Amino acid sequence: MMRIETDRLIITEFTMDMAQAVHENSLDEDNRRFVPDEVFETLEEARETIEFLISVYGTNDGPQVHPVITRQDGKNIGYVQMVPMEDGTWEIGYHIAKAYTGNGYATEAVKAFLPEMAGRVGISEVYGICLKENIASVHVLKKCGFEPVFEGIGDYQGEKREVFRSVRKI
């Protein structure tokens, strides 16, 4: 079982009792704007997603998504993930619930998670891709050592959008 601890966070594996927090954390306006496919409108949608995510732990067959929990109060504040892409590369992803943003949690989680997951899935580089207008996400990637490789119009969730694409060697 995965358990990564930092000064302020615990990165672990999902359990079904986290569905309510996952549902609530997904509903903020930033999630709707930047990653609408990661919004769970109902508790049942969150439960189904968690069930699937648990089923792919320990494989390279799907997204490796792990909850981020605060050490101080045990709250589920978001997630960090490694997602396989169609071309065989992997992408980092993360979301911190709106009430907890601006505290460096995403940067802390990505820095701790990246080397551990890269080793587990057997890769030496990972991509960071987000909408260019998602300034906070671009900032996290840069603080975590990702180097820009492309900025401009690209495919983002099936639409042509202004994207920021970066890469980091592990």
Side-chain angles (χ1 to χ4, degrees):
M1 177 167 171
M2 174 180 282
R3 184 176 177 93
I4 300 170
E5 295 191 32
T6 69
D7 289 344
R8 302 181 300 162
L9 304 173
I10 298 167
I11 300 167
T12 187
E13 293 183 357
F14 278 111
T15 56
M16 291 309 295
D17 64 347
M18 295 178 182
Q20 185 68 38
V22 168
H23 164 63
E24 290 172 6
N25 289 346
S26 80
L27 297 176
D28 68 58
E29 66 271 13
D30 286 346
N31 224 30
R32 291 184 187 282
R33 181 173 165 201
F34 297 126
V35 282
D37 64 328
E38 295 176 8
V39 173
F40 308 110
E41 298 290 354
T42 67
L43 184 57
E44 186 55 33
E45 282 180 44
R47 281 193 188 112
E48 289 171 5
T49 299
I50 290 171
E51 194 170 46
F52 166 72
L53 295 174
I54 290 170
S55 79
V56 297
Y57 282 153
T59 75
N60 285 2
D61 295 335
Q64 301 296 304
V65 185
H66 294 270
V68 175
I69 312 292
T70 58
R71 287 174 65 109
Q72 181 180 353
D73 58 13
K75 290 211 184 292
N76 178 328
I77 64 167
Y79 64 83
V80 63
Q81 65 183 355
M82 291 277 278
V83 179
M85 297 179 2
E86 289 179 11
D87 63 2
T89 60
W90 287 76
E91 176 186 359
I92 189 85
Y94 40 86
H95 174 72
I96 300 298
K98 187 73 170 170
Y100 298 92
T101 59
N103 295 301
Y105 290 132
T107 299
E108 187 174 332
V110 169
K111 283 181 176 179
F113 181 75
L114 197 54
E116 173 77 18
M117 278 310 299
R120 286 184 182 219
V121 300
I123 58 171
S124 60
E125 70 177 17
V126 64
Y127 287 85
I129 303 165
C130 63
L131 290 174
K132 190 174 176 184
E133 67 186 88
N134 188 345
I135 303 301
S137 193
V138 171
H139 187 66
V140 168
L141 291 169
K142 288 181 176 178
K143 284 181 73 174
C144 292
F146 283 76
E147 298 290 330
V149 293
F150 175 79
E151 290 184 53
I153 301 293
D155 186 44
Y156 189 84
Q157 298 186 353
E159 296 179 26
K160 295 296 182 197
R161 306 279 303 269
E162 283 274 334
V163 297
F164 174 85
R165 188 173 292 128
S166 58
V167 66
R168 175 163 172 221
K169 304 286 184 202
I170 311 296

